[in-house]
Amino acid sequence: MRFNRVMALSTRDRRPTADAACVDAVDAAREAALEVAPGEIGDYLGYDVEEERTVTHRFACTNAAYRGWNWAVTVVRASRAKVVTVAETVLLPSEAAVLAPTWVPWEDRLQPGDLGPGDIRPPAEDDVRLIPGWSADEAPGYDPAISEAVWWVAAEAGVGKHRVLSPIGREDATDRWYSGERGPDAPIAVAAPGQCSTCGFSVPMAGALGRVFAVCANEQAPDDGRVVSLDHGCGAHSEVVAVPAALAERPDPVLDEIAFDTIVVDREAAQPDPA
């Protein structure tokens, strides 16, 4: 039993020996590479033993577009054969090769704002921002005879939707909106004369998000038609008092006649005589 274990380990750790005929087939490998890429085969870089009678010869690629890449030509020799055969010729990158960036799936490459007309971005099946909603006939207390007005109130809670916003999705939206350009820390909000919570152009939102956010309805405001936090603000606040015209008039400029002398110049007299 011990003898068999030692034999198994020695067989597993044994590496293939280099076949002399395959190792010496450098010229044949170079000719095969020149047939694939004429004028792009550079210096010989050595060989790698793949199998007992399989060797891969490597040549530098002189193409400027593939700097750091190597041409690899694999040669083989059949058992008891004297002739070496070229099995494969490929272009492989080395450690110094310039490679394309790691492939990123299309749905992961999209960023907020990238979608245009006609683009479709379906949510993932396991999107944690969504949870199953109530269908109309499964909703507790559903009555087909209920009035349309009352049923719209129930629809606000997600009745009739296959999926609704989950607590995680609501928290993500709240953090994103509140910490963005329409939150309380935006420069325009810091310098604003009042907050959106006291502005007449602020339209309340329904649901839990309405306790933190509203929609701006002032066409003169930079956030018109957008969600803003209640403690956001801008210079187009509804309660901003206009400055009276009398106070808005600027006084005449004050001339410094102490440090500088005032000289009245006659422009017509200062013009040179054309004659």
Side-chain angles (χ1 to χ4, degrees):
M1 190 69 180
R2 179 180 180 184
F3 175 77
N4 293 337
R5 183 180 301 174
V6 173
M7 287 296 295
L9 292 175
S10 62
T11 302
R12 184 179 58 186
D13 296 340
R14 186 176 60 185
R15 298 181 179 179
T17 58
D19 184 79
C22 292
V23 172
D24 295 338
V26 178
D27 294 338
R30 181 181 291 274
E31 292 178 1
L34 288 172
E35 292 180 1
V36 177
E40 297 183 5
I41 308 303
D43 299 335
Y44 180 64
L45 303 178
Y47 67 90
D48 298 320
V49 180
E50 308 292 348
E51 297 294 342
E52 185 176 356
R53 287 182 297 275
T54 305
V55 174
T56 298
H57 296 277
R58 293 177 286 104
F59 302 91
C61 180
T62 59
N63 191 326
Y66 291 89
R67 185 174 302 174
W69 289 64
N70 302 329
W71 282 102
V73 181
T74 302
V75 296
V76 298
R77 185 178 66 85
S79 177
R80 299 181 181 180
K82 297 181 179 180
V83 180
V84 176
T85 305
V86 176
E88 186 180 27
T89 302
V90 295
L91 184 62
L92 299 177
S94 65
E95 295 181 357
V98 178
L99 302 177
T102 304
W103 169 255
V104 180
W106 176 81
E107 60 271 12
D108 296 335
R109 293 199 306 268
L110 288 177
Q111 300 296 323
D114 288 349
L115 290 183
D119 294 337
I120 298 176
R121 178 66 167 92
E125 291 294 335
D126 56 349
D127 196 329
V128 297
R129 299 172 302 173
L130 298 171
I131 57 176
W134 294 96
S135 62
D137 54 352
E138 294 176 348
Y142 169 68
D143 184 1
I146 192 172
S147 64
E148 183 178 356
V150 177
W151 184 245
W152 273 111
V153 176
E156 290 290 340
V159 178
K161 298 180 180 179
H162 293 289
R163 288 189 290 182
V164 296
L165 198 63
S166 67
I168 296 178
R170 186 163 52 247
E171 291 177 3
D172 289 345
T174 300
D175 294 340
R176 185 172 61 255
W177 296 347
Y178 198 78
S179 60
E181 297 180 355
R182 297 169 190 88
D185 297 329
I188 192 172
V190 175
Q195 296 183 348
C196 295
S197 59
T198 60
C199 180
F201 295 106
S202 177
V203 180
M205 293 180 60
L209 293 177
R211 294 177 295 184
V212 185
F213 300 103
V215 178
C216 179
N218 187 354
E219 62 178 348
Q220 304 297 331
D223 299 322
D224 179 38
R226 299 174 178 175
V227 176
V228 294
S229 66
L230 294 178
D231 48 1
H232 182 69
C234 69
H237 196 280
S238 63
E239 306 308 317
V240 173
V241 180
V243 179
L247 298 178
E249 296 179 357
R250 297 183 179 181
D252 296 334
V254 178
L255 300 179
D256 185 1
E257 298 181 356
I258 298 178
F260 301 93
D261 295 333
T262 302
I263 300 177
V264 179
V265 178
D266 188 354
R267 294 183 178 274
E268 295 181 357
Q271 294 292 333
D273 189 358

